[in-house]
Amino acid sequence: SGNSGYAVFGDGLSPVIAGNTFEGSFGLFMIQPQVVDFSSNTFRNVNQVVFRGGAGGGLAGWENTTFVNVTGGVELMGGEISRDATWLANLPHKLESALSVAQGVTLTLQPGLMVRASSQELLVRGRILSQGTAASSVTFTNHTDDPNQQHWGAIHIEGAQASGLFEHTNLRNGGAQHLSALVLSAASSATFVSGRIEASSTNGLRVITSAKLTVIGSTVSGSGNHGVISDNISELRLMNSSFSGNSEYAVFGDGLSPEQSMPRCFSVF
């Protein structure tokens, strides 16, 4: 406690940080950490915990760490999550540059989590489980949570071994750099249930190159282009969902034979 800068500032470390108390000022700043293990730490009245590159997004033992008034939350500045990780609801997360989830790795998002992201993407080659509830959703948004400011990029699920399950998840103000808020490609698969995709600067959802997407009981609204766009070799199921206020088509598809239950216009070539 009482240090003017960070309690721990490390470059290229492989630390074990266990049973510590961090109080006042800043918390941790780790550059290219290879393996970071936490157990039974307490962060109280600190500004932030920063990981730049490396495996910082894949911390082990977050569940055993107590965070009290960590105003800046966790700031993730690029790199790859190389081990299973859980992002905690009581700790706001900021994505400041592109971050990836390695093949075979699961990223779990707790109910109530808020993620504020930059214009880059979260690339998932493993699995993402967004486990919101009706009372406590998971939310991705831009830094200001304002559709009139710089949008964040996308959650991009890529590859035959990649998958996603999104329950009660809100993706708003995404789609920067010509991305869509949620992108599936290269034979990946995902299910999006009881969620909302709002105010994407381009398309709400994009499904390409043999990917499979199921959307159930969800809302896609306010997209700058289409609500959903898909190519002719992907699989798209839209059921009991609503599409409104998208600037162009609710669904724009090439050669699709979708299961769909929705209002508004639908273009199939």
Side-chain angles (χ1 to χ4, degrees), residues 236 238 249-253 256-258 260 262-268:
L236 180 63
L238 306 173
Y249 287 100
V251 178
F252 189 99
L256 295 175
S257 298
Q260 48 88 16
M262 59 192 174
R264 273 205 76 201
C265 40
F266 179 53
S267 177
V268 177

Side-chain angles (χ1 to χ4, degrees), residues 66-87:
T66 300
F67 298 94
V68 180
N69 193 31
V70 181
T71 54
V74 171
E75 188 172 307
L76 301 173
M77 304 177 70
E80 180 180 76
I81 299 175
S82 57
R83 59 194 300 177
D84 290 353
T86 299
W87 290 359

Side-chain angles (χ1 to χ4, degrees), residues 158-162 184-189 208-212:
E158 178 187 67
Q161 304 302 313
L184 275 69
S185 68
S188 63
S189 62
I208 56 174
T209 55
S210 300
K212 298 178 180 180

